[in-house]
Amino acid sequence: MTQKTRTLAEINDRIAAGQGRVWTSSELKQRLDSGHVSPADLFDEVDVITTGTFEPMESSSAILNLGQSDPPLKIRKCWLDGVPAYAGFGAVDVCLGASMPADFNKDASPELSKSDLKPKRGGGHVIEDLIAGKAISLRAIGQATDCY
């Protein structure tokens, strides 16, 4: 049996020409599960199999400067819509990771009850809301400082 091959340059050329054939891993599984086609046959039908998603991934994040107050403060802990944001690198700068889950504990959201929990909400949702110009809740714990 002769093994079929295709170079990365050939695939990139097809994509650049608008002729690239891209499937998700789910589409590949569907085709294989149909039982009417072998993996070797599929080689001729597809150029790229994607295994990722279009969802926020662990390296996606947003760095926000929340603006200084009077008197100046240093944020020590911060939550945006109940999602923890890292607050250790600037007085009022926070980093919100897209894959960070909501943390509805008494520090993050003391005003929320168990019925308010949104377990499928996380940093990616908050970033999406910020980009869309929607209002989000901010809760921060900090200390006054004279450095600013």
Side-chain angles (χ1 to χ4, degrees):
M1 179 169 130
T2 305
Q3 185 176 7
K4 297 179 179 182
T5 62
R6 189 175 308 134
T7 68
L8 185 57
E10 290 170 325
I11 294 169
N12 285 336
D13 288 344
R14 287 185 57 75
I15 291 170
Q19 298 171 347
R21 299 159 300 190
V22 180
W23 291 354
T24 64
S25 57
S26 296
E27 290 171 311
L28 174 66
K29 288 177 189 177
Q30 265 184 329
R31 293 295 309 269
L32 289 171
D33 289 345
S34 72
H36 297 102
V37 64
S38 72
D41 294 333
L42 292 180
F43 180 87
D44 294 327
E45 295 183 38
V46 66
D47 295 304
V48 177
I49 306 294
T50 64
T51 57
T53 67
F54 289 103
E55 296 180 14
M57 301 303 285
E58 59 275 354
S59 62
S60 301
S61 61
I63 295 177
L64 308 168
N65 178 287
L66 302 177
Q68 199 43 271
S69 62
D70 187 17
L73 62 85
K74 165 75 174 135
I75 296 174
R76 297 181 61 149
K77 293 183 179 181
C78 181
W79 297 265
L80 301 168
D81 267 1
V83 178
Y86 176 72
F89 63 97
V92 291
D93 296 333
V94 297
C95 180
L96 178 62
S99 64
M100 179 62 77
D103 177 18
F104 291 105
N105 64 38
K106 66 179 180 62
D107 287 338
S109 305
E111 72 284 359
L112 296 178
S113 68
K114 287 208 182 257
S115 63
D116 293 321
L117 297 180
K118 299 175 185 172
K120 293 188 178 183
R121 187 160 168 81
H125 300 99
V126 176
I127 292 169
E128 180 180 26
D129 286 350
L130 287 168
I131 291 169
K134 295 180 181 177
I136 61 160
S137 68
L138 166 68
R139 174 149 172 83
I141 298 172
Q143 64 195 49
T145 180
D146 59 2
C147 294
Y148 298 93

